[in-house]
Amino acid sequence: NGETYDFDRKLLEDFCNLSLHIDDLKSKNKNYEIGKRIQRKLDTLKNKINKHEENLIAQVCKHLSEQGYHHVVMENLDNSFGKCFISDENDVNYNRRVKFLGLSSIKDKFEHISRKYYIALSLVHPHYTSKQCPICGGIDDDNRKCQEVFKCVQCGHEANADINAELNIKNRVGITVLCQKLLKQSDNGSYLPKP
């Protein structure tokens, strides 16, 4: 429905700024070791980020359950986001932000928390979800020339790139032919990618 949930950007900025400060200290002194006070501050910020993520996932699960949804579908990302050399305005590399946020563990956290709300979690192959057209099925690198916009070179379908990927993820469970070819069903009704 287009509703979004966001991480705590202030906590992440504080964590990034402290990490940049540590980097600066290390660049000035090769033998620099993080002191107990700074390490405690880093740990506290990381714990707050983790707690916020868990609360956010619980909030999402509660909302879904109240709306009558009992099945969630996610990409089975292998957490190797590749090398990215893009930095933000504060000179923090994107890969580092992903690591700070703990995005690699979101799937596991969601699976654990969703059980409490009787929500099944299905995982689908992530291959081509951002480059595939949900209308004609065409896959082409030129379908996604920029980060935000998807435009199919075969049929002309145009959409927000994230919403387009969501449709492909949903279709992999919802369309019987794709589901049978790509997924295996577990005992609780959720799906997992076939090897």
Side-chain angles (χ1 to χ4, degrees), residues 17 29-30 85 109 120 129:
N17 290 337
N29 177 2
K30 300 290 183 204
F85 300 100
K109 287 178 186 175
T129 54

Side-chain angles (χ1 to χ4, degrees), residues 56-91:
L56 197 60
I57 291 168
Q59 184 182 350
V60 169
C61 289
K62 181 178 180 186
H63 177 74
L64 291 172
S65 183
E66 288 170 352
Q67 299 298 314
Y69 295 105
H70 298 287
H71 193 179
V72 171
V73 183
M74 286 186 183
E75 289 178 298
N76 189 26
L77 295 173
D78 64 3
N79 304 327
S80 60
F81 294 97
K83 293 208 181 217
C84 177
F85 300 100
I86 299 171
S87 295
D88 65 10
E89 65 278 356
N90 296 329
D91 203 31

Side-chain angles (χ1 to χ4, degrees), residues 44-66:
T44 299
L45 286 170
K46 187 63 177 164
N47 288 335
K48 284 182 179 180
I49 290 170
N50 283 332
K51 193 67 173 165
H52 182 269
E53 284 176 357
E54 289 170 2
N55 289 335
L56 197 60
I57 291 168
Q59 184 182 350
V60 169
C61 289
K62 181 178 180 186
H63 177 74
L64 291 172
S65 183
E66 288 170 352

Side-chain angles (χ1 to χ4, degrees), residues 33-49:
E33 290 186 23
I34 299 174
K36 288 180 181 178
R37 186 179 60 81
I38 292 179
Q39 185 61 54
R40 219 176 8 256
K41 200 171 186 181
L42 276 173
D43 293 342
T44 299
L45 286 170
K46 187 63 177 164
N47 288 335
K48 284 182 179 180
I49 290 170

